[in-house]
Amino acid sequence: MEKPKIWLSSPHMGGEEQNFVNAAFQENWVAPLGPNVNGFEEDIENYLQADKKVAALSSGTAALHLALIQLGVQPGDEVLCQSMTFAASANPITYLGANPVFIDSEPTTWNICPKALEKAILDRKAKGKTIKAIVIVHLYGMPCLWNEVKQIADKHQLPIVEDAAEALGSIYKGKKCGTLGQFSVLSFNGNKIITTSGGGALVCTTTQAKQKTVFYATQARDNAPHYQHTHIGYNYRLSNISAGIGRGQMQVLDKHIDLRRQMNAFYQALFAPIAGVEVFSEPTSDFFSNHWLSAILADTDKTGGISREDIRLALQEENIESRPLWKPMHLQPIFKEAPYYGEKVAENLFDSGLCLPSGSNLTDQDRERIKTTIQKLFKQ
Ligand SMILES: *Cc1c(COP(=O)(O)O)cnc(C)c1O
C-alpha cells in the first residue's frame, strides 16, 4: 500500500471555523456580504495593529488587480515587479494593458534587489517610459529589505504594492508585513498559512481607499435605486461563508506560525550536519519570517553531486511532496519579451532551491519519514 501523502502545505482547521459557517446558514447570510465578512475584516485589522482598513476579497490576485487600478495603472504604463515570485504577482499588471518590468532578487532575503530596482527606474525613465508602481514580495514569508526598497521608491515618488500573500504574521523591524505598502495584499488560498478555502484581502491606508476597493469589488454600482454605472466593476467580494472559515482561522494564526517555525527549526537541525545544503533563514534579528514554506539550497559542488532534483525525486519516491522555488517571471515563456534588470541571483536560486513540506499540521511521524528519507539519500 502506498504511504500517505505528505503535502508541502495543506489546510489546517482550528476547530471553530464550522461554528462561524453554521451561523451564516442559520441567519441566511449566504452571500458575498454579512457579519462574517465584517468580522473577518476587523479580525485582520486588529491583528495587523497598524490602523489599516481591510477589504476582504475573493482572492489575493483580485486584491493586486484592485490595488493597481487605484494607483491609476493604464494601458502602456510600466509596473516594476520582483521577478522571483508566483505569476499572480505579475498577471494583474497585464489585465490592465500595462507592461511588467522584472527585477532580480538579492541573496539574503531572496526578494527584490534594491540596486537592480534603482537601475531599472533610472533606465526606464531615460527611455521615456511611465512607471506607475512597484510590486514587491516577501517570498515564503521572508520580509524583503524594506527600508532600502522604500527609500528608493520615495526618492522616485513611486507607490509600493506589497504582495504579502505569503507573509501574514511576518515582521520587519517590529512592523507586520501586510502593513508596509501603500496597498498590501493578503491571500487565503488553500495552501497559504491560513485559508478561507479561497480568498484574499486588500489592506488599505484610508477608509476612502477601502470604500473604493469594495465599490470596484461589487460591480461598481453608483448610488442610485436602479443599476447605474460610471465605472467598470468586478465581482471580487469574499463570500460570508468563506469569511466564516477565515474568522476561525484567525484564532489559530499565531499558533500555526509557531508550528511552521518549528518545521523550519526541524530542517535546520536535519541539514546542519549535511555539507552543501543550506536552509533558508532570517539574515538578522530585524527579520521575523512566518516560514510559510521552508526551503533549502543544494550546492552540488559540496553535496557530492546531489542536486535539488535528486532530493525532490527521493522524497517523491516516499510520497512526500516538495517543489522547486518559484521560477522567475523573466524566464517564463509568457513574459519572455518583458524587460529584466539584474544578474543571475533569482536564476541561481531557482536552479538549486527546493521547498519542503512545511504545514502546521505535520506530525512527528511525518517528520520521521522526511528525516529518514533525507538521511538515507545523504548516507548519514
Ligand atoms: C498565493 C499568491 C498570490 C495569489 O493569491 P491568490 O489568493 O491565490 O489569488 C499572489 N502572490 C503570491 C506571492 C502568492 O504566493
Side-chain angles (χ1 to χ4, degrees), residues 59-61 64 85-86 88-89 137 163 165-166 187-189 192 199 326:
S59 71
T61 312
L64 274 150
T85 184
F86 181 44
S89 304
V137 188
D163 181 348
E166 302 178 1
S187 168
F188 312 112
N189 196 17
K192 296 288 154 68
W326 298 123

Side-chain angles (χ1 to χ4, degrees), residues 9 27 31 35 44 55 86 119 168 170 175 178 246-247 274 279 318 325 374:
S9 178
E27 296 154 23
I44 300 169
F86 181 44
K119 207 169 155 192
L168 181 58
S170 296
K175 288 188 197 140
R247 295 206 72 186
I274 296 176
V279 180
E318 295 296 320
L325 306 189
I374 295 295

Side-chain angles (χ1 to χ4, degrees), residues 43-115:
D43 291 347
I44 300 169
E45 286 167 6
N46 291 337
Y47 184 80
L48 293 176
Q49 287 188 335
D51 199 23
K52 296 284 174 174
K53 305 292 173 243
V54 171
L57 300 172
S58 55
S59 71
T61 312
L64 274 150
H65 189 188
L66 296 186
L68 295 173
I69 287 174
Q70 290 177 78
L71 293 174
V73 175
Q74 288 179 3
D77 289 341
E78 291 194 337
V79 175
L80 309 186
C81 180
Q82 179 167 324
S83 182
M84 187 160 209
T85 184
F86 181 44
S89 304
N91 285 340
I93 299 167
T94 69
Y95 301 170
L96 295 167
N99 302 312
V101 173
F102 293 111
I103 314 290
D104 201 2
S105 292
E106 52 78 27
T108 61
T109 70
W110 300 3
N111 292 308
I112 195 161
C113 169
K115 286 199 193 91

Side-chain angles (χ1 to χ4, degrees), residues 179-220:
T179 67
L180 303 170
Q182 173 152 352
F183 287 100
S184 303
V185 169
L186 302 175
S187 168
F188 312 112
N189 196 17
N191 59 349
K192 296 288 154 68
I193 195 143
I194 61 166
T195 184
T196 57
S197 78
L202 188 61
V203 183
C204 303
T205 312
T206 63
T207 303
Q208 282 116 308
K210 176 187 167 167
Q211 283 166 349
K212 214 165 172 185
T213 304
V214 173
F215 170 76
Y216 281 118
T218 52
Q219 306 287 22

Side-chain angles (χ1 to χ4, degrees), residues 128-370:
K129 306 291 183 183
T130 306
I131 308 168
K132 281 287 175 68
I134 303 168
V135 177
I136 63 111
V137 188
H138 309 296
L139 224 48
Y140 307 122
M142 186 66 70
C144 73
L145 296 180
W146 174 258
N147 277 3
E148 291 83 345
V149 171
K150 176 79 165 111
Q151 200 186 9
I152 293 165
D154 285 349
K155 188 162 121 196
H156 298 278
Q157 298 183 326
L158 289 169
I160 298 179
V161 177
E162 181 194 13
D163 181 348
E166 302 178 1
L168 181 58
S170 296
I171 302 169
Y172 173 82
K173 292 196 176 181
K175 288 188 197 140
K176 288 225 165 88
C177 291
T179 67
L180 303 170
Q182 173 152 352
F183 287 100
S184 303
V185 169
L186 302 175
S187 168
F188 312 112
N189 196 17
N191 59 349
K192 296 288 154 68
I193 195 143
I194 61 166
T195 184
T196 57
S197 78
L202 188 61
V203 183
C204 303
T205 312
T206 63
T207 303
Q208 282 116 308
K210 176 187 167 167
Q211 283 166 349
K212 214 165 172 185
T213 304
V214 173
F215 170 76
Y216 281 118
T218 52
Q219 306 287 22
R221 284 181 61 186
D222 293 341
N223 191 9
H226 55 278
Y227 282 88
Q228 172 85 16
H229 303 278
T230 50
H231 290 83
I232 294 291
Y234 302 87
N235 185 1
Y236 278 171
R237 200 73 163 121
L238 187 67
S239 103
N240 193 57
I241 302 292
S242 300
I245 304 173
R247 295 206 72 186
Q249 289 272 278
M250 284 305 290
Q251 296 181 354
V252 290
L253 173 56
D254 277 333
K255 195 172 119 202
H256 287 191
I257 290 169
D258 194 47
L259 289 165
R260 297 237 179 200
R261 289 178 57 82
Q262 285 178 36
M263 280 309 296
N264 190 267
F266 161 77
Y267 288 120
Q268 300 280 2
L270 176 59
F271 287 103
I274 296 176
V277 179
E278 195 188 317
V279 180
F280 186 34
S281 49
E282 291 125 336
T284 71
S285 59
D286 287 341
F287 300 79
F288 177 91
S289 173
N290 67 10
H291 287 307
W292 169 58
L293 292 187
S294 284
I296 52 169
L297 296 177
D299 178 352
T300 47
D301 289 342
K302 295 181 191 150
T303 57
I306 297 173
S307 68
R308 73 115 146 97
E309 191 57 9
D310 297 322
I311 303 172
R312 192 184 71 79
L313 291 172
L315 291 166
Q316 184 174 282
E317 195 67 26
E318 295 296 320
N319 209 17
I320 300 168
E321 186 182 29
S322 68
R323 198 171 293 168
L325 306 189
W326 298 123
K327 180 172 178 174
M329 290 304 114
H330 72 280
L331 303 177
Q332 298 286 356
I334 189 70
F335 290 126
K336 66 178 189 295
E337 309 293 337
Y340 171 70
Y341 291 82
E343 309 293 330
K344 285 187 175 289
V345 176
E347 202 167 330
N348 290 338
L349 288 169
F350 173 64
D351 285 340
S352 62
L354 190 70
C355 295
L356 300 171
S358 305
S360 45
N361 50 2
L362 295 179
T363 63
D364 284 341
Q365 211 181 353
D366 295 334
R367 277 182 283 275
E368 200 52 44
R369 272 174 63 198
I370 295 166

